[in-house]
Amino acid sequence: MTDPNLPYTIAVWLIPLVVAIVFHEVAHGYVARIFGDPTADRLGRLTLNPIRHVDPIGTVVLPMILAIAHAPIFGWAKPVPVDAMRLRNPRRDMMLVALAGPATNFVLATFAALSLGAFVGLHGGIPAQGAPHTVAGFVFDSLYSFVLVNVFLGVFNLIPLPPFDGGHVVQGLLPRAAAIQYSKLARFGFPLLLFLLFVLPMISPQADIVRRVIGPIATAVADFFLGFAQLGGL
């Protein structure tokens, strides 16, 4: 049976996700330019136009599947190109470039939570449950989703494995010889992502890293941000 609320669910999750992903990627490019690498700028990737960043699978298909499955919503865009050798201090600056994405997501989560609190205050409370298709309900759900999406995207990208942003940070902290070996794991990044998300949970639900490890961390961080709107634990 078709879920009549599915288009609404996709709208209030997919739109915030696309915005969060685009800002995440552009942040990488802007910080890279600050530290000397103009590659993303020259390729026209320092734009908030989502068309320049959308990856059909990571930005559209996967999030829709996760929304339908009522699983945590996340995704990815086409990575903004960064030439580490053009950075003034490649090892240090690459860590800062990597951290710019998650940091931007946490800033967006802060603004969204504050906006959500202001909206609830002006509205006189949380919109009534059971009537999600009102304008007030859509605004509330979209802001709420925007908080969660940004938090989960920021936390997920801090996984300390390449090609995640956390992997670049670890690589920058390791001795140079170890960092070179560690960076070779990046070639397995996409298969590793699929393994963590789909294969491992099917092999053993107890080994579902996303739900059992990343999920609780993201929930705790989200509650912190929602506390700004006095909605922690919602």
Side-chain angles (χ1 to χ4, degrees):
M1 182 179 295
T2 302
D3 182 355
N5 290 325
L6 183 58
Y8 181 87
T9 300
I10 292 175
V12 299
W13 285 102
L14 187 59
I15 294 173
L17 177 66
V18 170
V19 174
I21 288 176
V22 168
F23 271 86
H24 179 105
E25 291 299 329
V26 171
H28 287 315
Y30 267 115
V31 173
R33 188 178 68 175
I34 289 172
F35 289 115
D37 176 26
T39 304
D41 193 11
R42 290 177 179 175
L43 293 176
R45 294 295 304 278
L46 296 190
T47 173
L48 296 179
N49 179 358
I51 296 176
R52 299 302 302 265
H53 302 282
V54 166
D55 177 280
I57 300 298
T59 317
V60 180
V61 175
L62 178 62
M64 289 181 64
I65 292 174
L66 294 174
I68 293 171
H70 301 289
I73 307 296
F74 79 101
W76 60 85
K78 292 186 293 186
V80 166
V82 176
D83 185 349
M85 298 311 298
R86 291 190 172 190
L87 300 172
R88 288 189 283 273
N89 185 329
R91 284 169 61 81
R92 181 205 65 190
D93 295 347
M94 196 64 203
M95 287 193 292
L96 296 174
V97 169
L99 289 172
T104 297
N105 290 128
F106 294 138
V107 170
L108 291 175
T110 301
F111 281 114
L114 293 173
S115 299
L116 187 61
F119 174 78
V120 170
L122 292 173
H123 187 264
I126 298 174
Q129 298 294 315
H133 299 294
T134 63
V135 173
F138 181 80
V139 172
F140 177 86
D141 288 343
S142 295
L143 285 172
Y144 182 73
S145 299
F146 196 53
V147 174
L148 298 187
V149 161
N150 275 287
V151 167
F152 193 84
L153 195 63
V155 171
F156 193 82
N157 273 281
L158 289 175
I159 292 176
L161 291 171
F164 300 111
D165 296 328
H168 290 296
V169 175
V170 172
Q171 187 177 337
L173 294 173
L174 289 173
R176 190 173 300 275
I180 293 174
Q181 296 301 317
Y182 191 75
S183 67
K184 294 179 180 179
L185 292 175
R187 72 184 71 174
F188 305 110
F190 188 69
L192 177 62
L193 178 62
L194 295 179
F195 180 78
L196 291 176
L197 289 177
F198 301 110
V199 179
L200 193 58
M202 288 190 294
I203 295 174
S204 172
Q206 299 300 316
D208 189 340
I209 295 177
V210 173
R211 289 188 183 275
R212 297 182 64 85
V213 179
I214 299 174
I217 294 173
T219 298
V221 176
D223 283 344
F224 169 77
F225 284 107
L226 290 171
F228 298 155
Q230 299 183 343
L231 296 171
L234 184 64

